[in-house]
Amino acid sequence: MTQARIIDGKAFAAGLRARIGEDVAKLKALHRIQPGLAVVLVGEDPASQIYVKSKGEQTEAAGMRSETHRLPANTSQAELIQLVSKLNADKDIHGILVQLPLPGHLDSAPVIAAIHPDKDVDGLTVTNAGRLASGLPGLVSCTPAGCLMLIKDVVGDLSGKTAVVVGRSNLMGKPMAQLLLQADCTVTIAHSRTKDLPAVCRQADILVAAAGRAEMVRSDWIKPGAVVIDVGITRLPSRDPDAAAAGKTRIVGDVAFEEALEVAGAITPVPGGVGPMTIACLLDNTLIAARRLAGLEP
Ligand code: GUN
């Protein structure tokens, strides 16, 4: 049997960023608007620091205004909400992202609720979740939006396809399911309590794995020819014991990639699949937010 097509998320994201860069230049030239993104990072979580740095660099590379607000780990809920309110009122800022997870003493729900829905480029507010569920224009969470672009690129018309999303987070699983439903798929949201998860996954023409469990999806969970989208990112010790002893690590997804290659029709690698799409879609959302806030699109 032929091996699965490997979906090149890195190349797709580069193309998307180039298109966004051109649209940003047009918005500046025609309307004197420069889209602005503010990212808020509380504390010193190492993975979050890497993501936030990368978001800032890519925002600037697209010609947008980038602000990174780094707050100490002991920032209070009131201080954080005060910053969000200030950014809501800032005319030069069109997108606000509060990097998650927040330090343990902070409650993310009221912080997210404080973000103006039209600047909520994470699509996390109740208003944007409701807009998505109701089929109204809003801002859609970046990772599922990026996954849908990759899926559409491979599959074309999704109408009537069976889709299974493993994971039910507000940031990923739930919006992913809504997007697939809107594209006329028959959608199942599976999770850690789902009975016979392998059998449920085997039904899927499109399988999105976003459970956060390293290499959980094995080859016998995959319908032959299925499109497999791997959203997982787990850092494990290197396979080579000497390298592992020296602290070297490797990144794996939620899918056992090598064996899945033998069964799937197409599959995203980790890294280089879904990951690069997330920031590209964040830039896209910031551009959309800037155009909408200026009344240039509904
Ligand atoms: N932490 C990891 N991914 C994300 C994301 O997409 N948005 C936010 N706000 N925090 C994250």
Side-chain angles (χ1 to χ4, degrees):
M1 195 168 146
T2 52
Q3 280 211 331
R5 166 180 164 191
I6 297 177
I7 300 168
D8 189 347
K10 208 170 151 189
F12 196 101
L16 180 57
R17 288 198 306 271
R19 194 269 292 159
I20 293 167
E22 287 166 16
D23 287 355
V24 168
K26 272 189 221 152
L27 198 58
K28 277 190 204 163
L30 296 177
H31 300 282
R32 299 185 173 279
I33 296 166
Q34 181 184 32
L37 172 66
V39 174
V40 180
L41 173 62
V42 186
E44 261 123 57
D45 178 67
S48 292
Q49 282 182 330
I50 294 170
Y51 290 138
V52 165
K53 182 163 177 273
S54 193
K55 283 170 184 170
E57 287 167 358
Q58 293 189 35
T59 305
E60 279 178 14
M64 299 189 190
R65 177 189 172 85
S66 164
E67 280 184 11
T68 304
H69 296 263
R70 291 186 169 82
L71 304 181
N74 64 0
T75 298
S76 71
Q77 189 92 14
E79 286 168 325
L80 182 53
I81 290 179
Q82 197 174 21
L83 172 59
V84 169
S85 303
K86 202 173 114 213
L87 295 169
N88 281 340
D90 187 336
K91 297 252 176 304
D92 293 331
I93 292 299
H94 307 95
I96 302 169
L97 180 144
V98 177
Q99 185 69 25
L100 301 174
L102 291 170
H105 68 285
L106 295 172
D107 181 2
S108 61
V111 176
I112 290 163
I115 300 171
H116 192 293
D118 298 338
K119 295 192 177 186
D120 167 30
V121 282
D122 255 335
L124 272 177
T125 56
V126 170
T127 301
N128 278 317
R131 285 167 173 165
L132 178 61
S134 309
L136 297 171
L139 291 164
V140 179
S141 189
C142 308
T143 306
C147 290
L148 186 74
M149 288 181 194
L150 296 178
I151 294 167
K152 281 191 167 164
D153 188 54
V154 175
V155 180
D157 182 13
L158 302 189
S159 179
K161 301 284 183 197
T162 298
V164 175
V165 180
V166 186
R168 53 176 157 176
S169 67
N170 288 349
L171 198 56
M172 179 59 214
K174 287 181 204 165
M176 184 79 253
Q178 290 291 353
L179 289 171
L180 290 163
L181 185 62
Q182 236 169 55
D184 298 325
C185 291
T186 304
V187 184
T188 301
I189 305 180
H191 47 79
S192 54
R193 302 288 177 89
T194 297
K195 290 212 174 85
D196 202 353
L197 187 54
V200 172
C201 290
R202 259 195 310 274
Q203 304 290 314
D205 301 312
I206 297 160
L207 177 60
V208 182
R213 288 185 52 197
E215 297 180 328
M216 175 185 74
V217 176
R218 315 302 307 196
S219 57
D220 62 350
W221 294 34
I222 299 170
K223 179 175 174 177
V227 174
V228 179
I229 304 294
D230 190 348
V231 184
I233 306 177
T234 306
R235 198 173 279 279
L236 294 181
S238 174
R239 266 192 236 276
D240 171 5
D242 290 339
K248 286 250 161 59
T249 57
R250 65 194 168 103
I251 306 262
V252 300
D254 285 358
V255 180
F257 182 75
E258 295 300 330
E259 57 183 84
L261 269 181
E262 307 299 324
V263 185
I267 183 168
T268 57
V270 177
V274 170
M277 293 299 291
T278 298
I279 300 184
C281 288
L282 175 64
L283 305 181
D284 203 25
N285 273 352
T286 305
L287 175 63
I288 292 168
R291 294 180 58 85
R292 288 201 185 130
L293 286 164
L296 296 171
E297 64 179 71

